[in-house]
Amino acid sequence: MQKFSAFSLARQAVGRHLGWRPQWRSAAPKPSYDIIIVGGGGHGLGAAYYLAKQHGLRNIAVVERGWLAGGNTARNTTIIRSNYLFEQSSSYYEHALKLWEGLSEELNYNVMFSQRGCLMVAHTVHDVQVFKRHVYANRLNGIDNEWLTPEETKAFCPPLNISPNIRYPVLGAALQRRAGTARHDAVAWGFARAASDLGVDIIENCEVTGIDRDPSGKVTGVQTTRGPIRAGKIGVSAAGHSSVVLAMAGIRLPLQVNPLQALVSEPVKPAFPCVVMSNTIHAYISQSDKGEMVIGAGTDSYVSYTQRGGLHIPAHTLEAICELVPDFRRLRMLRSWGGITDNTPDRSPITAKTSVPGLYVNCGWGTGGFKATPGAANLFAWTIARDEPHPINAPFTIERFRDGTLIDEAAAAAVAH
Amino acid sequence: MLLIDCPYCGPRAEIEFAYGGEAHIARPAADVSEAEWAAFLYLRDNTKGVLAERWRHSHGCGRFFNALRDTRTDRFHAFYEIGTPRPDVGDAA
Amino acid sequence: MSGAFRLAGRGRIDTTRPVVFRFDGRMVRGYAGDTVASALLAEGRHLMGRSFKYHRPRGPVSAGSDEPNALIGVGEGGRYTPNLRATQVEIHDGMVAVSQNRAPSLRFDIGALNTLAAPLLPAGFYYKTFMWPRGFWDKVYEPLIRRAAGLGRAPTEPDPDHYALHYAHCDVLVAGGGPAGLAAALAAGQAGARVILCDENAEFGGSLLADTYSLIDGLPGGEWVARIVAELERLPNVQLLTRCSAFNYGPHNMVALNQRLADHLATPPAHMPRERIWQVRAREVVLAAGALERVLVFEGNDRPGIMLASAARTYLHRYGVACGRKAVVVTADDAAYRVALDLAEAGVKIAAIADLRSTPGGPLVEAVRARGIEILPATTIQRAHGHLRVTGAELAPVGADGGVGKGRTVSCDLVLMSGGFTPSLHLHSQARGALRFDDALGVYLPGESIERVRSAGSCRGMFALDDVLRDGVAAGLAATGGKSGPEWAVTRQDAPGTGGFAGALPRRGPGHLALAFVDFQNDVTAKDVKLAVREGFRSIEHVKRYTTTGMATDQGKGSNVNALAIVSNVLGRRPEEIGLTTYRPPYTPVTFGAFAGHARGDQFDPLRLPPMDAWARAQGAVFEDVGLWRRARYFPRVGEDMAAAVARECRAVRAAAGIFDASTLGKIEVAGPDAAEFMNRFYVNVWTKLGVGKCRYGLVCRDSGFVYDDGVVGRIAADRFHVTTTTGGAAGVLNMMEDYLQTEWADLDVWLTSITEEWAVIALQGPRARDILAPLVDGLDISAGAMPHMTLREGSIGGVPMRLFRVSFTGELGYEINVPSSQAQAVWDRVWQAGASLGLTPYGTEAMHVLRAEKGYLIVGQETDGTMTPADVGCGWAVSKVKPDFIGKRALALPAMYAPDRLQMVGVLTDDPRTMLEEGMQLVTAAETPIPTSAEGHVTSSYFSPALGRSIAIAMVKGGRGRMGAALYALRLDGPALKVTLVDPVFYDPEGARLNG
């Protein structure tokens, strides 16, 4: 792997940048692998990396039906935080956040993790109760989260309108200072590069069309648009298409996909210092390093794989943004897009073994998968390598729905982004 | 914004409707196994293709009805009343 | 004439109406009809902006919405708007415009030093560095990068303007008012269809406005346009929208338009919205979006004074501006020859035409040759000279083998380039229409679409004017089913060009240091694109993301095809194997405020006001938002804070009586022969044995077994229940009832009616409640014996129909007086007067919460969080053991639902009665707890109880009901943990004596 640094950049500049090599090997499928990861997004590439790096496995392939990291990795609003309510959730996201904090060095790839803080703004007495419960619960779990008055909120994020006379005044906010954003594409590319360097085959334009199993039911490989590939274990990390892939092994999942839309403004000079989320009025916003305001909209209600939704959804979000930050009313929407979120009934993910031996699944991340990327990848790799979950992801099974042991962040705190 | 053809009111904009999820999922009796109950509550085909789904004209007549929609394109292929069988439209896109 | 480059007698500007505006503080004179760009060009000024990364000096490359370079800030104060295209901004008197992304000035920008560092700043350089030392990224490097990036500054004052949103339906929406669009609209309009025609420009006509050569029915372009527009205006079924961009093509032919109404006016009327968004549901859509000329990619192609040939023609014919004195034309296509002829005829010297094609020919070429203009076939432009303005073009021959020979430099102040025309596919592609690559034209064209849409004219690769007009008519007819449409004779036109070029121009030498821009605004060079491919980014989406090409505010309108061609060349693969990046809405940027429309301030969300809201306001109440409702929280008297007011209100209820507007309670009437059976199936409780005139507390679970809602239900008649729900749960419960009734229980004969708005609820609570109420009700015996707790009576109060519930959420003797909302205030006034001498006191939601907490009554949504069973919150008694089925029954039988360590509702008391717990506090077993640790539970409600004279709290604690008397510790954010004792959650009057009094 070519080392990335200011020095290597300068040296390559002398050579007119002709010496750079591909960041990852574009591999053709071999007949057989020990482990195949289905889905070349951040989670899948990361899982392959950790399988190679931490579990000493080498004969691994990641198969991706389109271009690498072209799904939700490329479409999210890059927010990273771990201040979830339930201990199971916050432990999982905190595991991810700790990995984020060292990820650029770990991968020798600047993923631009920017811990600029995330404000969750409260607009009602009920919001205050819920967010304070978050603050207390997070402290107990060693996760930073603090309560700000409206004035402190304004001081942390000056463009916010805290006038008491607006429709939903700001009554305060929960602040996680270690939260922030990262460059979404870079995470996937960084994992791809590092995994490839450890021998992982990254195979693009390779869609899985079937899962092969032996008479005992154990998986033996996959059928793909580039031919059959044998595999000892298969880890499915296919986000919105998890239901489609798992159905090939006869498994139905507690999943429903919905369009989720997001948008950016035209770029402007730095004007918004942190991440702000408001569940009550359905808005979240941060400013990218390029200067665009990155704004997440809500989900459309219906099942769809089209990667688009109705304009009324982002329009409603912009109504909220214009109330929250009235100075931004004359900014302009530059680009909007949609993704496919895979939602479980309790809005918590599944990172688990399945009922089929040798088949593992990491899905159900809904609107919150990006922030979990290194954590989910790391624990999914553990689960595949050891054929048992890590204690952190042990509660995140498919069976919790049968057993009634849900981890219902959605019910507890409205929408979890 | 989808255009939804309510069987009772005619075509209306999506904002008049509430989504009701996958259709033709019968609620089992209370003595089924835990797995069967969980399947009823939570497991869904999440079809990529023609999906039978429920809508309610919540800001109109208030009625629930079923629709066939291709989730690859969002194109509707049929609207039909609750309790009637799923029309056969093949795998049209 | 103002402006040295203004040509008398040309253009469509109104030279009788001079306009003065400011640019970077300097006065600029133009005319009505000018844009900022055309007015500055008329002064001979091309330098209008600085680029994103290298801060390169830039001038306009286009004359329209595809402009990547000439971005300016316009307006002052709250009306300041960044990043507008100078090529689109229409000037008016007093307008103030500024350049952007430069310091200290546009001519001397310190940021241009970045160009010197360009070798160190190739595509994606930031992924490879700024990693050391750890932690420096977001503290040191990132702030520097953020300051350098970002184009214009953000507004810092609220926008005083307002915006509108409009929904419309039509038979045919025609997007684009050039020749194809006008023809389609007229054909459809004459066929009787309801037509909406929109165009992003200030006037219809598109390319025809800059076409003085072609003749339609003997008329030059502009005059023909005027005739057609006049015909369209006469059709009442046609709506014409200028300054109106179709920007979003959604599912099922829902197209959004952005209409700019006020910005071009010096003093817009106060009532006029600045912009309006149209959401148009169209039966059929005709896309007549036109085609955009492609830039050429060569070294120094970004120097001010280098522009698209078609743009120079537009400046000439629409604005009467010559963009320079001496021009070099570089082209791969015939259209630029017409531009050269027009400019030459207007007095601009055409120094040379470099044609990339080896044998340019045809009538246009011959006409140019005949004029004595030098044509250099098989010639490329090696590089452009100049800094703030182009000063020369180095033209070099291209050999048969593709090699480039030594060239010569031609001095000039204008370079016109044309790589041919790219059809605008944005809307077609947004509608998920397929695209197909056309080898002959070398561009993508629209393919099949699942929407009812058709493209017409040059946006589908049709370039000869007569073809375009016929295609427009055909599209208009096809959209309407019309048989015949208008016909016109095109008596003079240029033949459609052949050729075209995409990618980086051939050059001599490797050009490692050359900056040949693909994406002007984002400073993405051909080298950057090649580097991305070298580093393994082979999908066009990867190239876009790694280099940021096509991600600037023009969204790649000018750059995407060139980037695609470069990747295609490097990889040796055909363009269609590489694909195009997804076209993403909006077509051009749209103001946030326009999306918000009137949904601002009080109009942001509907505000639901309970019937006694005005009364509460007159009493000086403090309010809170509860869902969409605004509810009185407490009624402070002079000098009282919230705690004092709430304590007084609570004492009044316990000692005398309180009056409370409970109208926000959800109310549903369940009626029909099977009403009782429906209630039995829906609620966890049993209803069949509830007598008429009796009430019962009802609990609703989901089929997951978790508590969903609660409320008192009264039986009005054998076949009729008056159901109440929580304030927030009303809509959800009704929807859930309808769901089960319509889709699961078709055997039941039941009707459901929301009566929330119909019945206002006046809660009268306290030991004197009966004394106050008894004289008011008409002939109704409400004595304790006649109307005990949990009963209801129908009757009237002062002649007003009434449903009177004897219920209590305070633990006191209480009534909820249901009267029609329209007469509620009158009834309230009567009760209020009757109670005046008996100490009747209004109370708000806060006192209501305290009073219910003293009694240990739960609030769904406060004690519960969607993961609680009835037993968890102490309501296991309500769950029927005998019913064969009800919603939640099966799930409540799961072992996990009665596990011993489930969270259970308990009371908690601090040692010090003055110490208040905070809601949300976590409870643990030891005062000193290592972090992280697991909680034993958490506080859900905490108040100071005036009745008990101490703090009280409710908590959910693991196995809590079996731990009465045990001690736990509540963790504080600062300070030592607080010891608390678990107690029964009913703090006050546990026997219920007061309730039944």
Side-chain angles (χ1 to χ4, degrees), chain A residues 81 83-85 118-139 145-148 170-175 276-281 283 409 412-417, chain C residues 918-922 973:
Chain A
R81 63 183 179 89
N83 53 349
Y84 279 68
L85 178 62
C118 175
L119 286 170
M120 299 176 74
V121 179
H123 299 277
T124 66
V125 174
H126 183 254
D127 283 351
V128 174
Q129 289 165 345
V130 169
F131 290 159
K132 284 194 173 171
R133 184 178 165 197
H134 277 71
V135 170
Y136 282 109
N138 289 158
R139 287 293 185 90
N145 199 355
E146 60 197 274
W147 179 254
L148 302 188
V170 173
L171 303 183
L175 167 63
V276 167
M277 306 176 50
S278 165
N279 285 342
T280 294
I281 63 173
E409 287 285 334
V415 184
H417 291 293
Chain C
E918 194 167 35
E919 287 157 2
M921 275 183 166
Q922 302 290 302
L973 297 179

Side-chain angles (χ1 to χ4, degrees), chain A residues 206-268:
Chain A
C206 181
E207 182 170 358
V208 170
T209 55
I211 293 177
D212 298 329
R213 297 160 68 183
D214 68 16
S216 76
K218 187 180 183 315
V219 300
T220 58
V222 292
Q223 298 290 324
T224 78
T225 49
R226 297 177 71 172
I229 314 174
R230 289 196 305 280
K233 293 178 177 178
I234 300 169
V236 178
S237 193
H241 283 80
S242 298
S243 297
V244 175
V245 178
L246 270 282
M248 296 170 192
I251 295 176
R252 289 177 90 207
L253 287 171
L255 275 189
Q256 175 178 297
V257 296
N258 295 98
L260 176 70
Q261 302 179 66
L263 63 102
V264 294
S265 74
E266 293 182 301
V268 287

Side-chain angles (χ1 to χ4, degrees), chain C residues 322-404:
Chain C
C323 290
R325 306 265 188 233
K326 185 179 177 192
V328 166
V329 178
V330 187
T331 185
D333 156 285
D334 285 357
Y337 285 79
R338 172 59 59 199
V339 180
L341 283 172
D342 285 5
L343 286 175
E345 188 267 330
V348 177
K349 177 169 174 52
I350 307 297
I353 298 181
D355 197 321
L356 289 148
R357 300 169 297 182
S358 50
T359 52
L364 256 175
V365 176
E366 292 315 316
V368 167
R369 207 166 263 142
R371 229 193 133 89
I373 296 171
E374 183 181 19
I375 298 174
L376 303 168
T379 299
T380 185
I381 177 166
Q382 173 75 10
R383 60 181 294 207
H385 297 283
H387 179 54
L388 296 177
R389 179 73 184 262
V390 66
T391 56
E394 186 181 334
L395 305 178
V398 184
D401 59 351
V404 176

Side-chain angles (χ1 to χ4, degrees), chain A residues 2-23:
Chain A
Q2 283 177 304
K3 174 108 174 118
F4 285 170
S5 67
F7 176 71
S8 67
L9 198 62
R11 206 183 48 209
Q12 289 288 344
V14 173
R16 296 165 184 129
H17 298 290
L18 296 176
W20 293 113
R21 294 195 297 274
Q23 296 192 359

